[in-house]
Amino acid sequence: MRTNEQRQDIRERFLRVDTANVADALDELGIVDQGLSAQFTPFSGSRLGGWAYTIAGQTQPYEGTGDASKMEACAGISEGEISVWSGDGQGICYFGELIALGMKERGSAGALVGGGIRDIRWLQEHEFPVFAQYRTPVQSIGRWRVTSWQQPVSLPGATSRWVTVAHGDFVLADEDGVIVVPDAVVERILERAEALTATEVEIRKALRLGKSLAECLANFGHV
């Protein structure tokens, strides 16, 4: 069981490495198909990293002015976690400004939405990182509701149809895309990604000093 201090340290270290190096580290361990589909786009911020707090829902017409289960789910998020949303509500917004503000107050580090979002201008104003599949002005109230949280969810994959994201996995996203690190190997993958990052720094330094790419690859290997 990691302490809050350990979780925060791990999160800060992950934010200093690229998703590409994390993906390479996962491949080295034989943990493949952890990248998410290129459909996931940064709508607010360009980097996202945190512990997965999963929320799932489904299309389900209902009466009333709100979704009590959605509010209950959102209230459970903790510091350093990102909400990871999954559902079948094509064209519907799962996540917007007010939910973001409530989660930010609880220390949430952002959101990864396997569906639609809205209020993008305001999410950017609040500097709340959000990666999502699409944008839409259509609200979920009366159309789509939360059915579970803190249970494994499935999101579209880059090299597989689906990627499972469980509560407590680590999610990292940047300009290259989104990668999911299973909880059991978080520290091991982080350490290897840091080592790959350090090697890349040395290669770039050598190139600036006039070394050829062939010489750098001979000295440092392929990264």
Side-chain angles (χ1 to χ4, degrees):
M1 187 72 175
R2 303 179 187 94
T3 66
N4 290 337
E5 290 76 13
Q6 288 171 328
R7 283 163 58 90
Q8 181 61 19
D9 176 67
I10 289 169
R11 179 176 174 272
E12 291 175 357
R13 288 165 59 192
F14 262 116
L15 288 171
R16 293 194 288 268
V17 301
D18 296 334
T19 55
N21 285 333
V22 173
D24 290 354
L26 285 163
D27 278 350
E28 288 180 1
L29 277 187
I31 305 172
V32 298
D33 300 328
Q34 293 299 115
L36 296 190
S37 167
Q39 296 172 351
F40 287 91
T41 302
F43 286 95
S44 176
S46 60
R47 291 185 65 82
L48 171 70
W51 304 92
Y53 179 93
T54 56
I55 300 174
Q58 65 183 38
T59 300
Q60 190 178 102
Y62 60 94
E63 296 183 358
T65 59
D67 179 358
S69 293
K70 190 174 189 179
M71 295 302 98
E72 184 179 352
C74 292
I77 202 163
S78 301
E79 185 173 358
E81 293 182 325
I82 65 170
S83 55
V84 178
W85 299 75
S86 176
D88 65 349
Q90 183 63 37
I92 295 171
C93 166
Y94 302 170
F95 186 90
E97 179 192 14
L98 296 183
I99 292 176
L101 288 176
M103 288 187 158
K104 188 175 182 180
E105 288 176 353
R106 299 184 62 84
S108 172
L112 174 67
V113 184
I117 64 168
R118 67 180 189 177
D119 305 325
I120 294 168
R121 170 188 170 188
W122 301 109
L123 293 172
Q124 293 170 348
E125 289 276 347
H126 298 306
E127 298 183 341
F128 192 79
V130 179
F131 280 59
Q133 284 183 282
Y134 58 85
R135 58 188 175 181
T136 175
V138 180
Q139 69 174 347
S140 63
I141 293 175
R143 299 182 174 93
W144 181 92
R145 70 193 316 166
V146 167
T147 54
S148 66
W149 56 98
Q150 293 183 303
Q151 299 295 322
V153 299
S154 296
L155 297 177
T159 56
S160 61
R161 184 176 180 187
W162 301 107
V163 175
T164 298
V165 185
H167 178 69
D169 289 347
F170 196 91
V171 176
L172 185 67
D174 61 17
E175 297 85 350
D176 289 334
V178 188
I179 194 83
V180 179
V181 182
D183 175 67
V185 294
V186 161
E187 285 85 355
R188 189 171 176 184
I189 294 301
L190 175 57
E191 290 173 2
R192 181 56 181 151
E194 288 175 327
L196 291 171
T197 299
T199 299
E200 287 185 343
V201 169
E202 293 302 314
I203 290 174
R204 295 187 187 107
K205 186 186 301 182
L207 289 169
R208 285 194 296 270
L209 292 174
K211 296 287 187 180
S212 70
L213 179 59
E215 289 174 315
C216 288
L217 292 178
N219 288 335
F220 297 103
H222 178 78
V223 293

